[in-house]
């Protein structure tokens, strides 16, 4: 019998991030507490740029954006927001969306699977994802439950379950 397997990835739907960004832009253009503070949010290359005339307002824009991401089902672990920086008279805050599992993080996950998972489960690092395989589908379900119970500092999704 062939091995069953699934992949562990860390990917973000770019369209969902775009939708969250557009919803945030619409909300800050309509909300009373953002009137006259020059608050804005937009793409700046691969990063997201948030601007306002005070540090508190730019953090409030980030807070609104985070709530929109949560509503769209995107983990905040994928959002890497910097600190507000003064640029002229405006405060700017850059945030980026992290994708892919780094080699170190993949090794940590593979070690957890080896140490705490069922026997006979193999984990292989393949680029920026991790392939987990076993003869028993029940063992794979156990591994998924094990990893969902752990708190990693990066987002995980389980795909290609077969």
């Amino acid at each position: 019998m062939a091995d069953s397997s699934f992949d562990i990835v860390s990917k973000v739907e770019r369209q969902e991030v775009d939708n969250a960004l557009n919803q945030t832009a619409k909300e800050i253009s309509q909300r009373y507490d953002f009137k006259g503070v020059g608050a804005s949010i937009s793409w700046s290359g691969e990063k997201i740029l948030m601007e306002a005339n005070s540090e508190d307002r730019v953090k409030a824009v980030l807070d609104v954006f985070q709530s929109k991401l949560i509503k769209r089902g995107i983990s905040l672990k994928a959002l890497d927001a910097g600190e507000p920086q003064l640029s002229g008279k405006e405060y700017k805050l850059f945030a980026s969306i992290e994708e892919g599992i780094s080699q170190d993080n993949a090794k940590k996950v593979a070690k957890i699977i080896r140490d705490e998972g069922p026997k006979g489960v193999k984990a292989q690092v393949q680029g920026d994802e991790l392939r987990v395989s076993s003869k028993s589908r029940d063992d794979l379900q156990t591994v998924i439950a094990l990893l969902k119970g752990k708190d990693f500092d990066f987002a995980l999704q389980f795909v290609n379950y077969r």
Side-chain angles (χ1 to χ4, degrees), residues 55-154:
E55 188 174 346
D56 291 339
R57 288 290 101 203
V58 82
K59 285 182 178 177
V61 172
L62 175 62
D63 191 45
V64 171
F65 183 56
Q66 288 175 334
S67 71
K68 298 300 181 193
L69 286 174
I70 290 169
K71 284 182 182 172
R72 303 207 70 84
I74 296 173
S75 172
L76 291 184
K77 292 176 182 177
L79 181 69
D80 182 26
E83 288 296 314
Q85 298 168 337
L86 185 61
S87 173
K89 293 183 177 180
E90 295 243 309
Y91 279 88
K92 293 184 177 185
L93 191 148
F94 286 97
S96 60
I97 302 295
E98 300 291 321
E99 287 193 303
I101 302 174
S102 70
Q103 289 289 328
D104 291 342
N105 289 336
K107 287 178 185 174
K108 285 179 195 170
V109 173
K111 182 168 175 18
I112 289 171
I113 292 170
R114 266 196 321 277
D115 294 348
E116 300 175 32
K119 299 288 179 232
V121 175
K122 297 186 286 289
Q124 301 167 306
V125 178
Q126 296 180 336
D128 60 352
E129 55 186 49
L130 198 65
R131 164 85 31 101
V132 181
S133 58
S134 171
K135 293 204 180 304
S136 166
R137 286 179 170 243
D138 291 342
D139 287 350
L140 293 180
Q141 293 288 347
T142 307
V143 169
I144 290 174
L146 170 74
L147 295 177
K148 282 185 176 178
K150 299 284 183 190
D151 186 33
F152 295 105
D153 56 352
F154 52 96

Side-chain angles (χ1 to χ4, degrees), residues 15-28 41-44 47-50 65 68-69 72:
Q15 186 60 50
E16 291 297 328
V17 175
D18 211 29
N19 291 342
L21 189 131
N22 290 334
Q23 287 178 336
T24 303
K26 186 174 182 178
E27 183 169 323
I28 63 177
I41 182 169
S42 62
W43 284 105
S44 175
K47 293 188 181 253
I48 297 161
L49 170 65
M50 292 162 259
F65 183 56
K68 298 300 181 193
L69 286 174
R72 303 207 70 84

